[in-house]
Amino acid sequence: MERIEITYRQNSDYLIPNVSLPKEDIKYKNKTIGKYGNLRLDYIKTYKKELYSKLLLDNKLKEHLIDINEEAKRQVKLITMQNANQENITEELKHKDALDWVSAMNNAQARAEEIVLNDLIYV
């Protein structure tokens, strides 16, 4: 087992340990966890406690959630566009009947989200 040496500093009558959090990766510094990252967090906290603990202890939880969020958004967008192409949901329809276009696009996006949630978030 690895031995960790802890140093202390004097503060009045107390010895305070010299500890600090690891530096955050610059790649993830200004990014948010987002919708899909929060859904993943709730899922792993509830059903994948071992994975949650490991990510938390390794200081990789935020990175994992941001990566999941970005990948989920990318996949939802891609699958939505594929669904729209297959169903001929075009700009022409958008100009002809905006409400029908919005309804069709919402339907295509909902189906794409369902796929991504089952394949990426809830696994």
Side-chain angles (χ1 to χ4, degrees), residues 15-118:
L15 288 175
I16 310 294
N18 294 322
V19 294
S20 64
L21 292 172
K23 294 190 179 194
E24 189 174 8
D25 190 345
I26 293 192
K27 176 181 172 186
Y28 299 98
K29 188 162 182 81
N30 295 321
K31 295 191 177 184
T32 58
I33 293 171
K35 172 186 174 180
Y36 301 109
N38 279 309
L39 289 171
R40 177 71 174 164
L41 176 60
D42 290 341
Y43 178 76
I44 64 173
K45 269 177 137 175
T46 305
Y47 299 105
K48 303 281 186 175
K49 291 180 181 6
E50 185 177 318
L51 174 62
Y52 174 74
S53 296
K54 182 179 181 343
L55 290 169
L56 194 60
L57 291 172
D58 291 343
N59 200 34
K60 299 286 184 190
L61 182 61
K62 183 176 180 184
E63 294 174 16
H64 173 76
L65 298 175
I66 289 170
D67 289 343
I68 289 286
N69 186 63
E70 289 176 355
E71 180 62 20
K73 286 190 328 188
R74 189 188 70 72
Q75 285 186 21
V76 166
K77 184 177 180 180
L78 177 68
I79 296 170
T80 299
M81 289 298 110
Q82 289 173 346
N83 289 342
N85 286 338
Q86 288 174 350
E87 298 165 17
N88 286 332
I89 305 170
T90 62
E91 289 294 314
E92 184 181 313
L93 176 62
K94 183 178 182 179
H95 295 295
K96 209 161 82 172
D97 188 355
L99 287 177
D100 193 31
W101 180 85
V102 167
S103 174
M105 286 302 290
N106 284 343
N107 189 345
Q109 183 173 357
R111 286 182 284 124
E113 273 195 339
E114 187 70 27
I115 291 168
V116 171
L117 290 174
N118 287 322

